[in-house]
Amino acid sequence: MIQAPKGTFDVLPDDAARRELLERTAKRILGAAGYQRIETPTFEATELFARGVGEATDIVQKEMYTFDDGGGRSLTLRPEGTAPVCRAYIEHGMHKLPQPVKLWYLSSFYRAEAPQRGRYRQFWQVGAEAIGSAAPEVDAELIVLLAELLEAMSVKGTRLSLASLGTPETRAEYREELTAYLREHEQQLSAEVRDRIDLNPMRAFDASDPSTREIMKGAPKLLDRLSPEDADHFTQVRLLLDDAGIGYDLDPTLVRGLDYYTRTLFEFSSDALGAQSGVGGGGRYDRLMELLDGPPTPGCGWAAGIERTLLSAGELPVQAIVVDLFVSLAGADLGRTAFSLAREARRAGLNAQLELAGRSLRGQLRHADRIGARYVAIVGEEGTSLKNMESGEQLELSPNEVIPAILRGSRLS
Ligand code: HAM
């Protein structure tokens, strides 16, 4: 039996309804703040992610689905959405538009990770990017919008972690200081952390090994090394969040696995999830546009995993589908009349289904009851009986009287 590939899943109808609700909610919340929808291709030039996400990241080193397009060009299934949106911003000259350009997306992404609950190889994200403004209000507004989305989806037990990374220059200096510290304590670090000291020393903060964790408690923190401008920007973001009543934990060791971040960095996690507790996160990426050969343009954004959002969501008010009319037939040769009645009913704005399985009349009525049809039309040789399934009332009509009778409401007599 052929099964869905490891780390992928089918979205079945019940789940699709919850996803639709999430999409509608995102559209409402982001649309109200002026974000417009964007979709970029499923695959991009590999170089976009190598440069944008960063050569040293796990994503680029081990998680990308990369293939040759047959003409010697290397393509990659998108592992994330920020670099593609920035690519589109540059390609379409969006710097000429009023700034910031505010965009949102709901798309599938691909990472060759070890699958577990909340971690898949194909997954969906809803994301928002505001490009072209360095104002701290942009960062705070984005965080507020994500908080509102998670709240509207009844995501349980959320916590917000917040940090600031400063500029790449501050980071480079800090990196040297941290590297020296790690070298000093090399013997007590796990082999994995030791091997990556030069490649990505920040990852040491992510380590689960107890001895490494102990050493990292005494490590210098980037938050204490910010330039006055960056520290001020961060203070502004925090004040705005305080005003908005959004609580957060300052987390100087927050690491998000993508190299493009500058200044504000944040992540929402949920207790309702297991090991993969990150529901959504993001930050500012003021240098990414230049890395992609675009004009220097600040940017900020986030993405939330659809699956993790729904895994940690409470009961959702998913609407049941209303079936106004089920068209059944009293004889096999009445198919054409029944078919056109169902079609006309839909054209009149009703949700109408037609008997399609050759059931007996009794079977058809049972089926109509099961799908919760409000009315059943039984198309017969002599005419059509229309039954109100709630009241049990029944009327004998000619086929062209059926739809007006339903539209008039349930008063059949
Ligand atoms: P990210 O933290 O890598 O950020 O992913 C965002 C969210 O996508 C995560 O919090 C998680 O919910 C979900 N996610 C990530 N990987 C998986 C996976 N393998 N399976 C299921 N869900 C997953 C980004 O992708 C950045 N582009 C966010 C951003 C936008 N930063 C600035 N703008």
Side-chain angles (χ1 to χ4, degrees):
M1 187 181 51
I2 301 173
Q3 295 186 322
K6 190 174 164 190
T8 70
F9 52 86
D10 300 303
V11 176
L12 300 178
D14 280 350
D15 197 23
R18 285 161 48 88
R19 286 171 174 259
E20 264 168 40
L21 178 67
L22 174 48
E23 180 163 355
R24 276 202 308 276
T25 308
K27 185 177 175 167
R28 173 172 58 77
I29 290 172
L30 293 169
Y35 284 75
Q36 292 184 305
R37 184 88 181 240
I38 184 170
E39 282 301 332
T40 58
T42 311
F43 51 82
E44 297 270 0
T46 302
E47 199 188 346
L48 173 64
F49 303 112
R51 277 208 246 164
V53 173
E55 286 285 2
T57 59
D58 276 357
I59 293 182
V60 171
Q61 293 235 317
K62 4 182 204 187
E63 296 170 3
M64 297 209 299
Y65 287 101
T66 296
F67 55 97
D68 189 293
D69 74 347
R73 277 172 298 264
S74 178
L75 297 176
T76 291
L77 294 183
R78 58 185 173 198
E80 64 98 48
T82 309
V85 167
C86 289
R87 196 251 326 121
Y89 178 94
I90 298 167
E91 192 169 327
H92 302 285
M94 291 192 219
H95 58 278
K96 294 188 206 116
L97 301 174
Q99 305 292 303
V101 174
K102 295 180 285 187
L103 302 166
W104 77 280
Y105 48 87
L106 193 154
S107 326
S108 58
F109 296 92
Y110 307 84
R111 295 182 194 175
E113 297 193 77
Q116 62 181 83
R117 184 170 183 265
R119 190 163 75 193
Y120 312 99
R121 291 182 172 176
Q122 177 178 6
F123 57 97
W124 271 258
Q125 286 181 350
V126 54
E129 315 286 354
I131 304 174
S133 167
E137 286 80 2
V138 171
D139 312 41
E141 186 170 81
L142 277 160
I143 294 172
V144 165
L145 292 172
L146 179 51
E148 279 172 11
L149 176 63
L150 297 178
E151 193 188 321
M153 293 304 293
S154 314
V155 172
K156 289 175 290 192
T158 51
R159 267 169 299 114
L160 170 62
S161 305
L162 188 69
S164 177
L165 294 177
T167 59
E169 292 74 32
T170 315
R171 232 157 126 190
E173 273 171 40
Y174 167 74
R175 195 184 153 114
E176 272 177 35
E177 187 186 351
L178 179 63
T179 307
Y181 176 85
L182 293 175
R183 286 260 172 261
E184 223 173 281
H185 298 86
E186 209 165 327
Q187 293 316 314
Q188 287 107 296
L189 301 175
S190 71
E192 202 194 336
V193 169
R194 216 181 307 138
D195 287 348
R196 296 174 68 97
I197 291 182
D198 289 319
L199 196 58
N200 198 350
M202 285 294 279
R203 287 304 300 271
F205 286 113
D206 267 354
S208 50
D209 151 67
S211 163
T212 307
R213 290 186 78 91
E214 201 48 45
I215 293 299
M216 294 321 287
K217 279 187 194 157
K221 305 287 185 308
L222 180 55
L223 218 47
D224 302 325
R225 302 289 186 272
L226 296 185
S227 72
E229 299 77 40
D230 292 342
D232 184 51
H233 190 274
F234 193 45
T235 305
Q236 298 300 323
V237 173
R238 292 179 58 184
L239 283 173
L240 291 162
L241 291 178
D242 292 343
D243 288 351
I246 305 244
Y248 54 81
D249 298 322
L250 272 190
D251 183 353
T253 67
L254 184 61
V255 176
R256 295 213 352 94
L258 296 142
D259 274 359
Y260 47 63
Y261 291 119
T262 51
R263 294 188 158 178
T264 316
L265 190 70
F266 57 91
E267 185 158 271
F268 283 88
S269 51
S270 164
D271 297 343
L273 295 169
Q276 301 304 316
S277 64
V279 183
R284 188 161 269 292
Y285 44 87
D286 292 344
R287 303 290 178 92
L288 176 55
M289 213 59 87
E290 284 159 84
L291 278 179
L292 303 177
D293 301 328
T297 314
C300 190
W302 50 254
I306 301 289
E307 295 75 29
R308 290 190 201 171
T309 302
L310 292 176
L311 272 172
S312 50
E315 280 290 311
L316 294 174
V318 175
Q319 282 170 359
I321 297 164
V322 176
V323 182
D324 298 306
L325 174 65
F326 182 75
V327 181
S328 61
L329 342 54
D333 49 350
L334 294 163
R336 287 170 64 191
T337 315
F339 188 91
S340 71
L341 177 56
R343 176 167 179 261
E344 290 302 325
R346 286 191 295 266
R347 287 162 72 98
L350 298 170
N351 289 348
Q353 297 187 26
L354 175 67
E355 166 60 19
L356 295 171
R359 295 176 184 87
S360 68
L361 194 52
R362 260 186 74 201
Q364 295 181 48
L365 294 176
R366 233 182 335 207
H367 181 67
D369 193 40
R370 198 162 37 220
I371 63 174
R374 291 170 52 227
Y375 292 92
V376 179
I378 305 165
V379 177
E381 298 288 355
E382 250 71 288
T384 300
S385 6
L386 183 64
K387 184 173 179 192
N388 180 329
M389 296 293 274
E390 220 170 82
S391 65
E393 280 175 291
Q394 196 155 330
L395 261 195
E396 302 305 321
L397 302 166
S398 66
N400 57 8
E401 290 169 328
V402 172
I403 296 165
I406 298 174
L407 292 175
R408 271 199 304 275
S410 41
R411 293 186 58 83
L412 291 182
S413 43

